[in-house]
Amino acid sequence: MTRVLFVCTGNVHRSVLAERLLATKLPPGSAVRPESAGTEAWPRPGMDSSTRAVLEKLGGDGSGFEARPLTAQLVAGATLVLGLAGEHREAAVRLAPAAMRRCFTLKEFVRLAVGGVGEVRDGEDSRVGDASEVGDAIEVVDATEVGDASEVGDATEVGDAADVVVAAVAGRRGTAAPVPPAEDDIADPWGRPHPVLYECAREIDGAVSTLAQLLGGGTGI
């Protein structure tokens, strides 16, 4: 099982949208399990009505959601932790420092992955396919169109595709050209007009569409 944990502040808008929109991109029986939590969230059932409205407009399912706070246990148990902004990635690392190489922002992870996933050394060299084709076909900042990342999924066994990609992206973090920190964040729509929330959701939808392909989305046990 590949657990992908999205983190925002209140677990009300951004991380909820990422969790449920990623779920719409995965095939039945996928080994990828989207989850979410918030750095300042508290346990409460039900989804915010404005979040649910934009989620359902984009084809997601808002039923059965419960907000929850971010914990060290959640971070430690995740295959991949994706903050919606840098502060969320940093909060996850503070809770579970050993998980640092598995913690990114959502846009950072996609940016590094589609820029070309390199070799990962794990006893022997393993290579996932060159994802530069995806980078040529997608602008993550706009996130309005998503390229075909099937080359990545096809290049490795479904069972370990996610671990290989996560390790490869972690290896690129120190070598890829830097970008201004704000470019890897998705702005908080809290208290903003409904169109701002909707555009936030569209940006997240584009990013998680690519993420689903990068992680393989294969069937689980």
Side-chain angles (χ1 to χ4, degrees), residues 16 19-20 44-47 52 56 61-67:
V16 179
E19 173 193 338
R20 293 304 175 95
R44 51 180 168 169
M47 186 176 292
R52 185 162 185 167
E56 292 179 346
D61 180 5
S63 63
F65 177 77
E66 294 189 13

Side-chain angles (χ1 to χ4, degrees), residues 112-138:
L112 293 173
V114 301
V117 181
E119 294 184 357
V120 180
R121 183 169 296 276
D122 183 14
E124 297 180 355
D125 285 344
S126 299
R127 178 178 289 274
V128 291
D130 182 359
S132 59
E133 295 87 348
V134 185
D136 291 339
I138 180 174

Side-chain angles (χ1 to χ4, degrees), residues 19-51:
E19 173 193 338
R20 293 304 175 95
L21 288 170
L22 176 57
T24 69
K25 318 297 180 186
L26 302 172
S30 172
V32 178
R33 178 182 173 186
E35 303 177 352
S36 66
T39 57
E40 298 179 15
W42 65 91
R44 51 180 168 169
M47 186 176 292
D48 177 83
S49 60
S50 59
T51 304

Side-chain angles (χ1 to χ4, degrees), residues 184-209:
D184 280 338
D185 292 354
I186 293 177
D188 190 355
W190 177 264
R192 306 286 301 280
H194 184 80
V196 175
L197 175 60
Y198 181 63
E199 287 307 311
C200 172
R202 289 187 66 217
E203 183 175 19
I204 291 170
D205 190 48
V208 299
S209 294

Side-chain angles (χ1 to χ4, degrees), residues 17-202:
L17 289 165
E19 173 193 338
R20 293 304 175 95
L21 288 170
L22 176 57
T24 69
K25 318 297 180 186
L26 302 172
S30 172
V32 178
R33 178 182 173 186
E35 303 177 352
S36 66
T39 57
E40 298 179 15
W42 65 91
R44 51 180 168 169
M47 186 176 292
D48 177 83
S49 60
S50 59
T51 304
R52 185 162 185 167
V54 297
L55 172 66
E56 292 179 346
K57 187 170 184 179
L58 292 172
D61 180 5
S63 63
F65 177 77
E66 294 189 13
R68 60 181 179 173
L70 182 67
T71 66
Q73 183 177 13
L74 286 174
V75 176
T79 307
L80 177 62
V81 180
L82 297 172
L84 275 295
E87 65 194 82
H88 308 126
R89 177 194 59 212
E90 293 162 7
V93 172
R94 285 195 298 270
L95 285 170
M100 182 173 64
R101 286 179 60 83
R102 296 181 278 113
C103 296
F104 306 82
T105 71
L106 170 60
K107 289 176 67 174
E108 175 193 22
F109 185 85
V110 172
R111 172 176 61 82
L112 293 173
V114 301
V117 181
E119 294 184 357
V120 180
R121 183 169 296 276
D122 183 14
E124 297 180 355
D125 285 344
S126 299
R127 178 178 289 274
V128 291
D130 182 359
S132 59
E133 295 87 348
V134 185
D136 291 339
I138 180 174
E139 289 188 11
V140 176
V141 174
D142 293 335
T144 54
E145 294 182 359
V146 179
D148 181 6
S150 59
E151 293 86 350
V152 177
D154 291 343
T156 185
E157 294 296 329
V158 168
D160 57 16
D163 288 337
V164 171
V165 172
V166 171
V169 174
R172 281 182 51 78
R173 184 152 44 187
T175 60
V179 301
E183 289 191 15
D184 280 338
D185 292 354
I186 293 177
D188 190 355
W190 177 264
R192 306 286 301 280
H194 184 80
V196 175
L197 175 60
Y198 181 63
E199 287 307 311
C200 172
R202 289 187 66 217

